[in-house]
C-alpha cells in the first residue's frame, strides 16, 4: 500500500463522527492492495475492526443497505465511470447500542454517504473511499 493511503487511514482512525472505509487498487490488474476502515465503520456492522477487515478481504461481507440503493449506486458507477465523487443518502441497517443494559439491536437508518474514486494519470482507478456520517435511526 502507498504511504499516503496508510497516513490518511491513521487520520481517520479516531474519528467518532464519520465512518471511513477505503480500498486501494493496482491500476492495471485492479487487485486490491490495501483495505482499511476506522472503528466507527466497524460499529455500523456491530463487529470489531479486525473482523470487518478480514471478512471484506475474504469477500465474506456485504454492505448492509437496501437493494434498491445498492442498485442505484451500481448503475451510476456503470453510466458515469469517470465521476470521482458521488454524494447521496442511503438506507442501511446498523447496530444501535441498547439502553439501560438492553442488548444492541439492528435499526434502519438514513446515512449521508460520500463515495470517492481516485484515478492515476492514465485514468485508471487506484482507490475508492467510502465515508458515512449523519445517521438517523428510522425505527
Amino acid at each position: 500500500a502507498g504511504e499516503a493511503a496508510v497516513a490518511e487511514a491513521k487520520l481517520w482512525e479516531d474519528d467518532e463522527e464519520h465512518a471511513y472505509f477505503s480500498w486501494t487498487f493496482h491500476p492495471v490488474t485492479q487487485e486490491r492492495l490495501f483495505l482499511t476502515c476506522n472503528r466507527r465503520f466497524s460499529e455500523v456492522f456491530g463487529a470489531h475492526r479486525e473482523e470487518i477487515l478480514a471478512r471484506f478481504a475474504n469477500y465474506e461481507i456485504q454492505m448492509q443497505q437496501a437493494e434498491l440503493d445498492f442498485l442505484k449506486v451500481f448503475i451510476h458507477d456503470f453510466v458515469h465511470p469517470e465521476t470521482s465523487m458521488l454524494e447521496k443518502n442511503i438506507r442501511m441497517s446498523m447496530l444501535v447500542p441498547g439502553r439501560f443494559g438492553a442488548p444492541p439491536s439492528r435499526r434502519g437508518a438514513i446515512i449521508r454517504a460520500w463515495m470517492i474514486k481516485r484515478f492515476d494519470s492514465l485514468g485508471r482507478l487506484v482507490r475508492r473511499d467510502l465515508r458515512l456520517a449523519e445517521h438517523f435511526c428510522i425505527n
Side-chain angles (χ1 to χ4, degrees):
E3 291 179 24
V6 174
E8 186 173 353
K10 287 181 182 179
L11 291 174
W12 287 97
E13 190 65 36
D14 295 321
D15 190 329
E16 294 291 328
E17 183 179 349
H18 299 92
Y20 173 77
F21 191 86
S22 180
W23 304 259
T24 303
F25 301 96
H26 186 281
V28 176
T29 65
Q30 290 298 292
E31 288 183 54
R32 290 189 306 205
L33 300 175
F34 182 68
L35 185 67
T36 188
C37 70
N38 67 355
R39 189 180 66 213
R40 180 70 189 116
F41 187 88
S42 62
E43 288 172 355
V44 169
F45 286 89
H48 293 283
R49 180 177 175 270
E50 294 76 15
E51 179 185 358
I52 294 297
L53 291 174
R55 292 183 71 193
F56 264 104
N58 291 320
Y59 302 96
E60 296 174 354
I61 195 168
Q62 297 176 353
M63 292 298 292
Q64 299 177 9
Q65 64 185 27
E67 291 174 0
L68 183 59
D69 288 337
F70 177 81
L71 181 61
K72 285 191 253 182
V73 170
F74 177 79
I75 290 172
H76 182 275
D77 229 20
F78 185 75
V79 174
H80 305 285
E82 75 290 345
T83 303
S84 60
M85 184 170 161
L86 174 62
E87 182 177 353
K88 65 184 306 284
N89 289 323
I90 57 175
R91 295 169 289 178
M92 289 183 74
S93 169
M94 58 186 295
L95 197 65
V96 178
R99 294 186 185 184
F100 309 111
S105 61
R106 287 235 162 258
R107 301 279 172 96
I110 302 293
I111 297 178
R112 190 71 176 163
W114 294 267
M115 296 167 211
I116 301 140
K117 293 188 282 187
R118 299 182 191 185
F119 303 93
D120 68 6
S121 61
L122 298 175
R124 300 175 297 196
L125 180 68
V126 293
R127 185 165 164 190
R128 181 182 291 258
D129 294 341
L130 173 63
R131 298 175 188 157
L132 308 173
E134 303 177 20
H135 67 278
F136 304 97
C137 288
I138 54 177
N139 63 359

